[in-house]
Amino acid sequence: MTEKTCDNLLRIKTAGTLELLNQSPHYNRYEATPYETLDELFTEYTIQSTDGFVDFGCGKARVSFYVHHHFQASVTGIEMNGQLYQDAIENLVHYRRKNKRSGGSIRFERCYAEAYDISATENRFYFFNPFSIQIFMKVIGNILLSAERNERVVDVILYYPTSEYVQFMEHQTPFTLWKEVRVRQLYEKNENERFLIYRLGE
């Protein structure tokens, strides 16, 4: 199915890219995770309905809606760009009209990722290179502090991971690489087409 077809099934609009003009160099442009790669990830990795999923740099929130629709987990999207945040809210209105089934909550917060206060119920954290390594380090630090205060198994999911993110996770955090999911057909041409799932606490 095409990206547009998948969007239509969820009643959302998330396609395309968006350059964030006049922004700090710490923040990268908007680009949604392709649906085909999400399908690949979730054939090998499962979210439980009891999980709390956080999508950092959620943009128009494709991943947030995908996870909520398929797993009924509680989902929070974090986005600091005003236009993208408004797009996510508009998508939420249309999504709720179509998806009235019971399940976890879905919400969006407009704030800087490093300022987001991580809840004790949140345990799955998703990143598609939304910002610089400096901000990523601060966010991971916040996740670790939360896991220290409220002990639980925590996963950090990286799509198309940069070498800086990988080196930091492997050499400067207590997380260990739990699983690598390669996107078939794409990985052979581009080794960045993969998900790395780092786990803490198991």
Side-chain angles (χ1 to χ4, degrees), residues 10-201:
L10 296 174
R11 299 290 192 272
I12 61 176
K13 293 180 181 177
T14 61
T17 59
L18 178 68
E19 294 291 346
L20 306 181
L21 302 175
N22 303 317
Q23 293 270 145
S24 158
H26 286 291
Y27 295 89
N28 299 330
R29 71 175 186 172
Y30 165 73
E31 184 177 356
T33 305
Y35 281 108
E36 66 176 316
T37 65
L38 290 173
D39 291 341
E40 196 83 27
L41 170 65
F42 291 114
T43 58
E44 297 192 39
Y45 179 71
T46 302
I47 301 287
Q48 306 296 328
S49 61
T50 52
D51 287 332
F53 186 95
V54 181
D55 180 7
F56 280 105
C58 70
K60 300 177 186 179
R62 175 181 292 179
V63 173
S64 301
F65 292 115
Y66 183 104
V67 168
H68 187 267
H69 176 74
H70 286 281
F71 303 105
Q72 288 80 59
S74 291
V75 176
T76 301
I78 308 300
E79 179 53 57
M80 64 94 193
N81 178 271
Q83 180 58 58
L84 292 173
Y85 172 78
Q86 284 303 320
D87 289 343
I89 294 297
E90 284 179 30
N91 279 331
L92 180 58
V93 171
H94 296 294
Y95 174 81
R96 278 189 169 143
R97 282 185 197 145
K98 161 80 174 167
N99 297 273
K100 293 181 177 165
R101 70 170 94 179
S102 60
S105 63
I106 181 167
R107 67 191 181 96
F108 300 103
E109 286 204 18
R110 185 184 176 193
C111 66
Y112 289 105
E114 63 272 32
Y116 177 66
D117 187 22
I118 291 161
S119 160
T121 61
E122 293 168 337
N123 60 341
R124 305 286 180 259
F125 302 94
Y126 183 83
F127 301 84
F128 175 16
N129 301 327
F131 31 66
S132 69
I133 185 63
Q134 290 85 357
I135 294 175
F136 181 70
M137 290 164 73
K138 290 177 184 175
V139 174
I140 295 298
N142 292 341
I143 292 170
L144 288 169
L145 281 173
S146 177
E148 211 173 272
R149 286 194 299 265
N150 298 279
E151 201 171 313
R152 60 199 187 274
V153 176
V154 169
D155 287 352
V156 167
I157 306 158
L158 306 181
Y159 171 56
Y160 211 91
T162 67
S163 58
E164 289 180 312
Y165 277 29
V166 172
Q167 286 175 10
F168 172 70
M169 290 298 290
E170 295 189 352
H171 301 295
Q172 296 183 56
T173 77
F175 283 91
T176 56
L177 181 61
W178 180 73
K179 184 183 275 286
E180 176 186 23
V181 179
R182 297 176 179 179
V183 182
R184 285 174 295 183
Q185 292 145 10
L186 298 178
Y187 181 82
E188 289 177 11
K189 296 176 183 173
N190 184 347
E191 292 185 354
N192 292 314
E193 287 287 356
R194 59 181 181 152
F195 294 88
L196 296 180
I197 303 164
Y198 290 91
R199 179 160 286 185
L200 176 74

